[in-house]
């Protein structure tokens, strides 16, 4: 019987390690080839400090020289003194993965389906070649895919909560011209070999203790599809969730049926859409995604998750800073389509 710990590094590299009952996080990581910084192993020096971001733990001893009361209150723990008490937990280490001799993991896969889901987006489904191969990730994280027939790699968020029957899905923006866009439109065929490096990124759900504002720009929606699916599957999220989804043209709106299904599957989830440059036929909302933010909803403490192009992220952050909204944390993932 074991639990699973996600160890996330500052550079976004993540490793999942199995932690035996009563095993220390430090020991489990070393057993998996993740050499976390260590010195005293006694809870005194603070070298192995990290931030518990989700899950329950027991911490044996923390010397006052290792962590302050304030740091402990924020959720910092010591890997050499920490045991898991829940089946899953995640820990953030504010160091780069290469410090811990963590090698990049590249997986071999095969294109199993490709579907254009809007004028500007496609769903790419990849099946891992080795069915026994584990590729755990935290919804919201991303993979780098090698564009078949090229030496180019591009990054895309996972669009599902986990690998299911060996399959992964990605919601990918189709540009008028771009190495992945051209491949998907012109050459992509089920059976194509495709490599992926994963999991990457520090954009994932932290412990949910208050309402969530999710802000998606374009195919930034992909990350939220994975997060929301995970919450629906777990059935544990009683907090209200509001997703604001903005696109450039109405043809860019994707996966609305899936979002509708999630409103049924989650106890208090709602989403709204807005289009920046719609056609004359558009009868929905016109504007930028911040125009969807609801001051009444944001009057309470909340966590904000933003995923989309850099201008959208910056505009959302500025909007929240400039208004009298509740106390909040902001997590974001910027991406540039290419
Ligand atoms: Fe010194 Fe953990 S190694 S506190």
């Amino acid at each position: 019987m074991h639990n699973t710990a996600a160890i996330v590094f500052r550079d976004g590299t993540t490793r999942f390690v199995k932690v035996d009952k009563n095993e220390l996080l430090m020991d489990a990581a070393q057993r998996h080839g993740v050499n976390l910084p260590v010195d005293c192993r006694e809870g005194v020096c603070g070298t192995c400090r990290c931030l518990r971001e989700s899950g329950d733990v027991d911490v044996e001893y923390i010397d006052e020289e290792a962590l302050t009361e304030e740091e402990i209150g924020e959720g910092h723990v010591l890997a050499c003194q920490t045991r898991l008490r829940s089946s899953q937990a995640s820990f953030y280490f504010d160091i780069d993965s290469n410090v811990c001799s963590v090698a990049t993991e590249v997986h071999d896969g095969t294109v199993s389906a490709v579907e254009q889901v809007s004028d500007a987006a496609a769903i790419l489904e990849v099946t891992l070649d080795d069915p026994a191969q584990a590729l755990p990730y935290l919804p919201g994280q991303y993979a780098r895919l090698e564009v078949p027939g090229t030496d180019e790699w591009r990054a895309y968020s996972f669009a599902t909560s986990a690998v299911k029957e060996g399959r992964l899905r990605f919601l990918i923006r189709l540009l008028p011209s771009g190495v992945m866009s051209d491949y998907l439109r012109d050459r992509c065929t089920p059976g194509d070999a495709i490599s992926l490096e994963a999991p990457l990124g520090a954009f994932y759900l932290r412990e949910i203790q208050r309402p969530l504002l999710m802000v998606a720009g374009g195919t930034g929606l992909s990350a939220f599809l994975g997060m929301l699916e995970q919450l629906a599957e777990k059935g544990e999220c009683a907090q209200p969730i509001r997703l604001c989804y903005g696109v450039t043209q109405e043809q860019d709106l994707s996966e609305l049926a899936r979002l509708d299904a999630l409103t049924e599957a989650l106890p208090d989830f709602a989403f709204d859409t807005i289009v920046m440059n719609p056609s004359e036929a558009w009868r929905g909302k016109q504007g930028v995604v911040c125009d969807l933010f609801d001051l009444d909803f944001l009057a309470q403490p909340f966590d904000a998750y933003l995923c989309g192009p850099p201008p959208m992220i910056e505009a959302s952050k500025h909007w929240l800073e400039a208004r009298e909204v509740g106390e909040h944390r902001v997590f974001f993932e910027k991406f540039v389509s290419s």
Side-chain angles (χ1 to χ4, degrees), residues 26 37-48 66 78-80:
M26 169 73 71
V38 59
D39 189 357
C40 70
R41 284 188 176 271
E42 302 286 343
V44 174
C45 69
T47 304
C48 63
L78 300 171
C80 73

Side-chain angles (χ1 to χ4, degrees), residues 161-237:
S161 60
V163 178
K164 293 181 177 169
E165 297 173 349
R167 290 198 287 269
L168 297 158
R169 285 160 66 91
F170 304 91
L171 178 64
I172 297 178
R173 181 164 183 214
L174 294 175
L175 297 166
S177 171
V179 64
M180 181 60 95
S181 302
D182 293 345
Y183 164 71
L184 291 176
R185 245 189 321 257
D186 304 336
R187 310 192 307 278
C188 182
T189 309
D192 286 355
I194 188 165
S195 299
L196 57 151
E197 178 191 356
L200 298 164
F203 186 67
Y204 50 86
L205 285 174
R206 275 57 177 187
E207 202 146 84
I208 300 175
Q209 295 174 322
R210 47 198 192 174
L212 300 183
L213 169 69
M214 296 179 167
V215 184
T219 47
L221 180 68
S222 191
F224 296 116
L225 291 172
M227 289 180 178
L228 292 163
E229 189 175 280
Q230 181 193 47
L231 294 176
E233 287 165 355
K234 279 186 170 179
E236 297 170 351
C237 181

Side-chain angles (χ1 to χ4, degrees), residues 41-318:
R41 284 188 176 271
E42 302 286 343
V44 174
C45 69
T47 304
C48 63
R49 61 166 46 215
C50 58
L51 182 65
R52 179 187 65 83
E53 296 196 303
S54 66
D56 296 326
V57 298
D58 281 344
V59 181
E60 200 160 295
Y61 175 70
I62 300 179
D63 190 273
E64 59 186 22
E65 296 292 317
L67 292 175
T68 65
E69 286 295 323
E70 188 181 358
E71 288 171 325
I72 294 169
E74 290 168 350
H76 287 89
V77 295
L78 300 171
C80 73
Q81 301 294 307
T82 296
R83 294 180 172 85
L84 269 62
R85 287 292 169 259
S86 56
S87 60
Q88 294 187 322
S90 61
F91 303 88
Y92 175 78
F93 286 78
D94 194 22
I95 50 175
D96 288 338
S97 57
N98 58 9
V99 174
C100 304
S101 315
V102 177
T104 299
E105 285 194 357
V106 175
H107 305 260
D108 295 325
T110 300
V111 172
S112 42
V114 62
E115 177 193 0
Q116 190 160 346
V117 290
S118 74
D119 277 13
I123 291 275
L124 176 67
E125 184 183 276
V126 176
T127 300
L128 296 173
D129 287 354
D130 179 357
Q133 187 180 31
L135 198 175
Y137 62 85
L138 301 170
Q141 291 191 303
Y142 66 89
R144 293 177 71 240
L145 306 185
E146 186 176 31
V147 184
T150 76
D151 296 329
E152 304 276 345
W153 293 74
R154 294 291 184 268
Y156 302 104
S157 300
F158 295 103
T160 49
S161 60
V163 178
K164 293 181 177 169
E165 297 173 349
R167 290 198 287 269
L168 297 158
R169 285 160 66 91
F170 304 91
L171 178 64
I172 297 178
R173 181 164 183 214
L174 294 175
L175 297 166
S177 171
V179 64
M180 181 60 95
S181 302
D182 293 345
Y183 164 71
L184 291 176
R185 245 189 321 257
D186 304 336
R187 310 192 307 278
C188 182
T189 309
D192 286 355
I194 188 165
S195 299
L196 57 151
E197 178 191 356
L200 298 164
F203 186 67
Y204 50 86
L205 285 174
R206 275 57 177 187
E207 202 146 84
I208 300 175
Q209 295 174 322
R210 47 198 192 174
L212 300 183
L213 169 69
M214 296 179 167
V215 184
T219 47
L221 180 68
S222 191
F224 296 116
L225 291 172
M227 289 180 178
L228 292 163
E229 189 175 280
Q230 181 193 47
L231 294 176
E233 287 165 355
K234 279 186 170 179
E236 297 170 351
C237 181
Q239 295 285 355
I241 307 170
R242 298 293 175 268
L243 169 68
C244 301
Y245 175 26
V247 295
T248 306
Q249 300 174 306
E250 65 260 40
Q251 300 94 311
D252 301 341
L253 290 167
S254 307
E255 298 289 79
L256 298 183
R258 202 162 150 207
L259 290 174
D260 280 334
L262 286 162
T263 63
E264 301 293 322
L266 288 159
D268 190 354
F269 167 63
F271 72 96
D272 205 352
T273 59
I274 194 161
V275 180
M276 191 157 52
N277 300 316
S279 69
E280 287 189 1
W282 174 246
R283 293 290 171 264
K285 294 177 182 168
Q286 177 178 3
V288 295
V289 75
C290 301
D291 297 336
L292 296 177
F293 294 0
D294 177 355
L295 272 174
D296 287 340
F297 182 77
L298 300 177
Q300 59 197 324
F302 64 95
D303 285 336
Y305 289 83
L306 322 173
C307 187
M312 186 219 81
I313 303 286
E314 292 309 315
S316 300
K317 285 162 63 179
H318 287 147

